[in-house]
Amino acid sequence: MSQPVGAPAAQSHPLPSYLQADHLGPWGNYLQQVDRVTPYLGSLARWVETLKRPKRILIVDVPIELDNGTIAHYEGYRVQHNLSRGPGKGGVRFHQDVTLSEVMALSAWMSVKNAAVNVPYGGAKGGIRVDPKKLSMGELERLTRRYTSEIGLLIGPSKDIPAPDVNTNGQIMAWMMDTYSMNTGATATGVVTGKPVDLGGSLGRVEATGRGVYTVGVEAAKLTGLALEGARIAVQGFGNVGGIAAKLFAEAGAKVVAVQDHTGTIFNSKGLDVPALLAHVKTRGGVGGFAGADVMKAEEFWGVDCEILIPAALEGQITKDNAGQIKAKLVIEGANGPTTTEADDILHDKGVLVLPDVIANAGGVTVSYFEWVQDFSSFFWSEDEINARLVRIMQEAFAGIWQVAQEHKVSLRTATFIVACQRILHAREMRGLYP
Ligand code: NAD
């Protein structure tokens, strides 16, 4: 039963050690964001502890036989942060620096993001601590299949639906879908999204996150009077999110002047040839060695003269050490968690407008939702329909968040958290505690 307004706050108990903020890093950053939103939650604040504890954490050992005959063990995770609004939804990351703290934070940001764009999902995330670039295709397939079997306890089309994230793609989703289907005895296309189109994937899914980044960028530019034509853009990360966002901004007349990825930092004040750079990255694996640009020192990237900065690589990139150098008027967070809380404050004080990850990169999960709906109904939409629905959802969500930010005089991050956490905690309250 719901409690009346003004009911006493829930009694707090010490947090398990792995949830404490002194395990800093992404989870600590997320906890600070929750603390900032709590004063705006009204009577729902009594449920806020729910947001500070993932519902389920699964840590799995993933053993595989390498091509040379040795057995290697990798650590894998699946975290379901909150399922109040629906099944878990969130990507799977393969990266050598994946940690439990990171996966927990990413799962929590998925809860917030899914609620911010009002898709009927809770938040989840998974990952394996591995450098997949060191594995052969066969090893990668064995790793993916064993991981999928190990997390099979949690995932399913109406339970928890993984998707691609850093270093995972349509092929890996196809192996995940096949493994789950083999284990359950029926083809279950709806168990993952981001699949190839021939396997129940959706048109427009590959471009969706970048398109969402672009869409909110256009809206923010309109609201702040920033002309996109000729605007200079710097992008960190030139993969699925950064590459597509750069392409769309360039097509709209902006100049992508600097790009940084794990292979180098490149610069061209006249604007990089984005289609040529995308083709280069496809064959060479990164921007390093691109002929149409000068090489720049990595640490100079953040101080590049530009109007728009798009971090689209990993979390914790904009910190108190480099935020002061940023010259952009608009930062659009394609990546999850790229800005630390201290850096967020520095940018705010400098008058830089930050479009936070929890709305800016929500285009991917929005089209994942469309993919899931199409798989359930076995009826597929055209790419134009997908893109039109995506743009409408992103525009409406962004407009609502903008209004909340104006009303409460808070940052767009806090405004997004206000909208999303109210939705999550209201669902929590309406459902009540079981038993
Ligand atoms: P990706 O694997 O396609 O690309 C990652 C990019 O980051 C690559 O260009 C890589 O070179 C670069 N990178 C990695 N380490 C780096 C470093 N140390 N310095 C600079 N660049 C580095 O991944 P993606 O799918 O584009 O994801 C990028 C970010 O966007 C992640 O934070 C991810 O969680 C987030 N995101 C992705 C999606 C999606 O649909 N793919 C959706 C929402 C959010």
Side-chain angles (χ1 to χ4, degrees), residues 165-349:
D165 191 73
V166 174
N167 290 332
T168 56
N169 55 25
Q171 173 62 78
I172 287 171
M173 294 307 112
W175 289 328
M176 289 188 78
M177 188 277 266
D178 184 70
T179 304
Y180 179 85
S181 299
M182 289 294 146
N183 288 344
T184 55
T187 295
T189 51
V191 67
V192 289
T193 58
K195 299 178 295 294
V197 172
D198 287 342
L199 276 182
S202 177
L203 295 168
R205 173 61 185 91
V206 171
E207 300 81 13
T209 308
R211 190 174 296 281
V213 165
Y214 171 71
T215 303
V216 293
V218 170
E219 295 305 297
K222 272 189 233 156
L223 287 160
T224 56
L226 174 68
L228 278 189
E229 182 72 43
R232 294 164 300 174
I233 302 196
V235 187
Q236 188 201 37
F238 210 69
N240 176 269
V241 180
I244 302 285
K247 175 172 165 271
L248 294 173
F249 276 110
E251 283 169 4
K255 279 196 298 188
V256 178
V257 292
V259 173
Q260 177 174 79
D261 76 357
H262 73 288
T263 64
T265 308
I266 59 170
F267 177 79
N268 184 337
S269 60
K270 296 199 183 85
L272 294 152
D273 179 343
V274 174
L277 184 58
L278 285 166
H280 175 89
V281 170
K282 208 168 181 180
T283 53
R284 302 280 293 274
V287 301
F290 182 61
D294 295 324
V295 174
M296 186 180 216
K297 283 192 190 146
E299 60 274 20
E300 287 172 8
F301 173 77
W302 301 106
V304 162
D305 281 317
C306 63
E307 282 70 44
I308 300 176
L309 173 66
I310 306 178
L314 298 172
E315 57 272 353
Q317 298 296 303
I318 304 181
T319 66
K320 63 177 175 14
D321 301 327
N322 58 27
Q325 300 164 25
I326 289 175
K327 303 207 177 79
K329 298 186 176 76
L330 190 59
V331 173
I332 315 176
E333 294 184 340
N336 284 307
T339 313
T340 66
T341 306
E342 288 158 320
D344 225 3
D345 291 342
I346 295 170
L347 294 177
H348 184 262
D349 293 346

Side-chain angles (χ1 to χ4, degrees), residues 366-386:
T366 302
V367 175
S368 273
Y369 165 58
F370 298 160
E371 178 175 336
W372 184 71
V373 168
Q374 292 171 90
D375 286 339
F376 271 122
S377 57
S378 301
F379 179 78
F380 290 85
W381 312 342
S382 72
E383 189 161 358
D384 285 349
E385 261 172 297
I386 302 269

